[in-house]
Amino acid sequence: MSNIAGKAYAMNVITPIRWYMTWINRLIFKIALKNPETLKGLITLSLIHYARWVIVPRSGFPRLDPSQPKEDLQYSYMLFFSNFNGSWDQYVDSFTFAIPAGLDLFWKWNIRYPKSVPLTPFHKYIRHNQIDTLHYYNAYPMASSNDIKSAQKIKKALIDFNTTSVNKTPDDFLKDYNKLLIDLQHHFGDMKPTPIVSLSADAVKKRYLQSHLNSN
Amino acid sequence: MATKNGNATALTVLSPIKNAVMGETSCADITRERCLSLPIHEKSPLARVPNTYLARLFVLDDVYYESLPASDCVFNFSDITSFFSDSARKKALPRKDHLKSKYLVFSSNFYGDLDAYLAGLWKNWSYIDLSGNQRDVRHIWEYCVAFDRVTDISSFIDYIKRCQLDASLFFNGSTDDSLQEQLKSLYLKQEFTRFAIEHQGKNAAEIQQDFKTFIQRVQPENLSSPTWPPGKSAP
């Protein structure tokens, strides 16, 4: 199992929802899509790379051949996949404390959803319905989603600065350079492997070192 | 359809695994073992697949029974009727569901269009397993239902599309730049941060001269080099 890839954690949650209530969820998701400000809480939390909600109708599991038994389900299912920075507890707790109403809106119609407040039943609900990842790949294990957004700003600023200021007199160059550093100060930072904060992260590191030993 | 958010795409694939046993091991367990033994980070086969931001594989064995106590938002008549009737109390329990197949789940967040991405997946997924054998993408999907009909790029793309589920909501908390652009930006962030630290307190002419040398070295507009390789896990 490998829910961790560098600074990212892969969460998979599958929860049942009454098939005749899925239209409400679809409507809520559609409204959220059309009005991105409804997701402002998630953006402010700033710890997610990418996340998605997928509703699988009870007759919607892929069936590719007549030899494959047809699913006979009483509920539809909602899949939630997230790629976030930090630990499991930090992520789940930040939802509860920062955007509990939004969270309840997305899961409200799921069977036995306990609501995001109080915390302990919500923790149990997520743990109960979570599936571990077997292989998790992250193109930038050393970077958080904030690093990627900061890097985008630094690249643009660096190219602009190089175009406008590099051939000025040394004193004017320094003035612009100092302004550049002040403008970018919140975006700097040395990126390194994430500290080992859990037994799972330690296990991933050991697997990585072992695979390197095997290949050398 | 919410499978796209700007240039970023969310691919969700559920491929049914054959309900068969090979020797003493089920096809699902063979698939699980193969996913588990994929090399990670830079050596993951997904590091070779162009424009993959983050991706994962797991096996969905079954759905869960909601056995935990919680109130059920609108269907609480049973709270009243169950005072009077045992059967009403029992009927208020959630139903039990079981899947008849296990599913290999592949979820990927990537830049660009689906067909080009899947073609890249077919062509570039490659790694050497622990026994020293060269493996391609067919090794992971081998025991999935109807995958034996996949013989080339176009049949692979068709197959994955048959297994694809649309996202109802795809949230992008990062950027939707190409992976090359993201990796180059991260490389520049790292290098420029170090440059700024090393040049604190130096005089204007020296910083200017060194900055020109720095720009020549890092080539900010050259996306292919120098840059971070995909999956880079150590400085």
Side-chain angles (χ1 to χ4, degrees), chain B:
Chain B
M1 190 170 82
T3 295
K4 285 202 80 120
N5 187 322
N7 295 313
T9 307
L11 172 64
T12 310
V13 174
L14 264 69
S15 302
I17 301 171
K18 290 176 188 167
N19 287 328
V21 174
M22 310 301 289
E24 293 187 336
T25 314
S26 71
C27 290
D29 281 345
I30 296 173
T31 305
R32 191 189 328 273
E33 185 54 38
R34 289 180 179 183
C35 293
L36 266 175
S37 54
L38 288 172
I40 59 176
H41 295 327
E42 302 91 333
K43 298 202 168 181
S44 165
L46 284 154
R48 293 166 178 259
V49 179
N51 279 316
T52 309
Y53 301 138
L54 294 119
R56 69 189 70 174
L57 285 157
F58 66 90
V59 172
L60 175 63
D61 286 303
D62 205 349
V63 291
Y64 296 116
Y65 178 64
E66 297 307 307
S67 57
L68 296 174
S71 65
D72 223 338
C73 55
V74 288
F75 291 84
N76 282 342
F77 297 120
S78 61
D79 286 350
I80 300 165
T81 52
S82 60
F83 282 136
F84 311 105
S85 156
D86 290 338
S87 64
R89 177 75 275 171
K90 284 175 192 162
K91 274 181 191 160
L93 286 170
R95 306 282 185 84
K96 217 176 235 183
D97 261 349
H98 287 293
L99 293 175
K100 292 189 174 167
S101 295
K102 298 179 194 305
Y103 293 82
L104 170 65
V105 181
F106 174 60
S107 159
S108 179
N109 304 272
F110 64 90
Y111 169 86
D113 291 324
L114 182 59
D115 283 29
Y117 180 71
L118 292 177
L121 191 68
W122 173 265
K123 280 191 267 186
N124 297 291
W125 179 294
S126 160
Y127 69 100
I128 295 169
D129 70 11
L130 294 174
S131 315
N133 300 311
Q134 187 76 41
R135 300 295 188 187
D136 61 21
V137 74
R138 285 174 291 191
H139 193 57
I140 292 291
W141 265 271
E142 183 176 0
Y143 291 112
C144 289
V145 173
F147 195 74
D148 46 7
R149 289 172 221 155
V150 172
T151 51
D152 53 15
I153 290 185
S154 107
S155 53
F156 178 69
I157 293 174
D158 288 347
Y159 181 86
I160 295 294
K161 284 184 175 173
R162 289 182 69 199
C163 301
Q164 188 190 0
L165 297 170
D166 287 337
S168 294
L169 181 62
F170 177 35
F171 173 74
N172 180 356
S174 183
T175 75
D176 66 346
D177 294 331
S178 71
L179 181 64
Q180 253 197 333
E181 178 74 31
Q182 287 183 334
L183 291 170
K184 180 74 188 194
S185 302
L186 288 167
Y187 165 79
L188 289 174
K189 171 173 148 66
Q190 187 86 317
E191 295 301 316
F192 192 44
T193 298
R194 289 174 182 171
F195 179 91
I197 292 168
E198 284 164 9
H199 287 78
Q200 286 183 101
K202 294 196 174 173
N203 69 54
E206 192 179 352
I207 296 176
Q208 189 174 26
Q209 189 50 48
D210 286 356
F211 184 81
K212 285 178 184 172
T213 312
F214 169 78
I215 289 294
Q216 277 173 359
R217 178 171 70 79
V218 300
Q219 302 176 50
E221 296 189 70
N222 180 353
L223 294 186
S224 49
S225 172
T227 187
W228 277 8
K232 180 182 168 67
S233 63

Side-chain angles (χ1 to χ4, degrees), chain A residues 1 5-6 8 10-12 14 16 18 20 26 29 33 39 42-43 48-56 60-65 68-75 77 79 81-83 106 108-115 124-125 128-143 145 147-149 151-152 154-155 158-159 161-162 166-171 173-174 177 180-181 184 187-191 193 204 207-208 212 214-215, chain B residues 2 10-12 14 16 19 32 35-36 38-44 46-47 52-60 63-75 92 94-101 103 105 107-109 130 145-146 149 159 162-163 165-175 177 179 181-186 188-190 192-196 204-205 207-208 211-212 214-215 220-221 223 228 230-235:
Chain A
M1 142 191 159
M11 177 178 275
N12 315 302
I14 179 164
R18 290 179 180 85
Y20 49 86
R26 289 184 199 279
F29 289 139
L33 259 181
L39 299 170
L42 277 182
I43 294 164
I48 298 175
H49 288 275
Y50 305 93
R52 77 186 72 164
W53 289 260
V54 178
I55 294 173
V56 192
F61 281 80
R63 185 164 182 253
L64 305 183
D65 192 84
Q68 181 193 343
K70 204 172 177 182
E71 298 294 356
D72 179 21
L73 297 169
Q74 313 200 46
Y75 295 120
Y77 283 85
L79 305 175
F81 298 155
S82 181
N83 305 270
F106 283 0
K108 196 174 180 65
W109 313 106
N110 286 250
I111 302 293
R112 294 278 169 119
Y113 173 67
K115 299 186 190 63
K124 283 186 179 161
Y125 179 76
H128 182 76
N129 293 294
Q130 189 178 342
I131 307 163
D132 289 325
T133 297
L134 298 171
H135 178 74
Y136 188 29
Y137 169 72
N138 176 0
Y140 16 70
M142 291 194 295
S145 74
D147 285 325
I148 293 158
K149 285 174 277 187
Q152 185 189 44
I154 287 180
K155 179 170 181 277
L158 197 61
I159 290 170
F161 174 76
N162 188 46
V166 81
N167 291 320
K168 288 185 176 176
T169 65
D171 285 344
F173 169 85
L174 188 62
Y177 176 77
L180 175 71
L181 296 193
L184 293 177
H187 302 295
F188 285 128
D190 204 13
M191 289 168 287
V204 171
R207 271 183 58 204
Y208 177 70
H212 266 249
N214 289 339
S215 62
Chain B
L11 172 64
T12 310
L14 264 69
N19 287 328
R32 191 189 328 273
C35 293
L36 266 175
L38 288 172
I40 59 176
H41 295 327
E42 302 91 333
K43 298 202 168 181
S44 165
L46 284 154
T52 309
Y53 301 138
L54 294 119
R56 69 189 70 174
L57 285 157
F58 66 90
V59 172
L60 175 63
V63 291
Y64 296 116
Y65 178 64
E66 297 307 307
S67 57
L68 296 174
S71 65
D72 223 338
C73 55
V74 288
F75 291 84
R95 306 282 185 84
K96 217 176 235 183
D97 261 349
H98 287 293
L99 293 175
K100 292 189 174 167
S101 295
Y103 293 82
V105 181
S107 159
S108 179
N109 304 272
L130 294 174
V145 173
R149 289 172 221 155
Y159 181 86
R162 289 182 69 199
C163 301
L165 297 170
D166 287 337
S168 294
L169 181 62
F170 177 35
F171 173 74
N172 180 356
S174 183
T175 75
D177 294 331
L179 181 64
E181 178 74 31
Q182 287 183 334
L183 291 170
K184 180 74 188 194
S185 302
L186 288 167
L188 289 174
K189 171 173 148 66
Q190 187 86 317
F192 192 44
T193 298
R194 289 174 182 171
F195 179 91
I207 296 176
Q208 189 174 26
F211 184 81
K212 285 178 184 172
F214 169 78
I215 289 294
E221 296 189 70
L223 294 186
W228 277 8
K232 180 182 168 67
S233 63

